[in-house]
Amino acid sequence: MTAKKKKEAKATVEKDQAIQLDENGDEVMPEIEIEVDPLEAAEAEIAELKDRLLRTHAEMENLRKRTERQIADAHKFGVEKFATSLLDVMDNLERALAVESGNEEAVREGIQLTLNSWHEMMKRFEVVRIDATGEVFDPHLHEALSQMPSEEPAGTVIAQHVAGYTLHGRLIRPAKVLVSSGPA
């Protein structure tokens, strides 16, 4: 074997040793181990974690501020539809007051129309009137102002001074009533 052929054979062997194949015959790149200083790696990890912490803190702060704004807007504008409906009632009252003096029938009719529009508006907002007269006294819906003898059975509401109201089923004002204590 000549010297040239020996060099070529040695180079081929070195090349074959450098290229490794997996079980499918694909070339596998040799793993190159890079030595990393553990202190530098720990410092890099700490820096990354600090950055994540700061970003998370900033996101949470922005979320808190955005939520506060949304809650404030909900408080400010939550009654917008209700207020708009009240404007219709106010318009009716102004029209009733604009009637010439001496025309009591027109004033009365205007007030009745206003009251009707008021009740319609209250129904739209689930504000339900409690009419208690003739009902059995219910302390969850009625507030007894006094008891007095009457022909009605004891515990029956015989008069109502002020109507009660519920909002979406929750009592917002009890009906103020007189309750029968039974026949005298």
Side-chain angles (χ1 to χ4, degrees):
M1 190 180 267
T2 64
K4 184 177 178 184
K5 286 188 177 181
K6 284 183 181 176
K7 275 187 175 180
E8 287 175 5
K10 186 178 177 185
T12 303
V13 168
E14 287 177 357
K15 188 177 176 184
D16 287 345
Q17 288 175 346
I19 299 173
Q20 296 178 357
L21 302 178
D22 64 6
E23 62 269 0
N24 297 330
D26 295 328
E27 185 177 334
V28 176
M29 297 301 288
E31 292 182 23
I32 301 170
E33 291 186 27
I34 299 172
E35 293 211 14
V36 178
D37 182 16
L39 181 60
E40 286 180 16
E43 287 175 348
E45 186 176 348
I46 289 170
E48 182 183 334
L49 291 174
K50 277 184 177 178
D51 183 57
R52 281 190 198 169
L53 179 65
L54 288 174
R55 289 179 188 276
T56 302
H57 181 71
E59 286 175 17
M60 293 306 295
E61 187 65 23
N62 289 339
L63 177 64
R64 186 185 62 77
K65 287 179 181 175
R66 189 172 45 247
T67 303
E68 284 177 357
R69 270 195 313 271
Q70 289 173 343
I71 290 171
D73 285 349
H75 284 286
K76 275 192 229 171
F77 303 111
V79 295
E80 183 177 352
K81 288 182 181 178
F82 187 73
T84 303
S85 296
L86 280 178
L87 296 177
D88 293 338
V89 174
M90 189 174 71
D91 291 342
N92 288 338
L93 283 172
E94 288 175 352
R95 278 192 282 274
L97 288 174
V99 172
E100 295 177 16
S101 61
N103 194 353
E104 292 177 10
E105 187 62 32
V107 172
R108 187 174 193 78
E109 185 178 324
I111 291 172
Q112 185 61 52
L113 289 173
T114 303
L115 185 60
N116 292 345
S117 67
W118 172 263
H119 287 303
E120 286 299 316
M121 182 201 69
M122 297 301 257
K123 280 183 190 173
R124 279 187 272 141
F125 290 96
E126 299 291 327
V127 178
V128 177
R129 180 184 167 105
I130 299 169
D131 287 316
T133 304
E135 302 289 326
V136 175
F137 177 76
D138 181 353
H140 300 291
L141 299 174
H142 310 140
E143 178 182 333
L145 298 176
S146 94
Q147 280 190 320
M148 57 188 309
S150 79
E151 297 300 317
E152 298 294 327
T156 302
V157 174
I158 54 174
Q160 176 172 287
H161 286 286
V162 176
Y165 287 93
T166 60
L167 173 63
H168 294 282
R170 181 192 294 178
L171 183 68
I172 57 174
R173 186 177 83 181
K176 295 182 179 180
V177 298
L178 293 178
V179 181
S180 172
S181 60

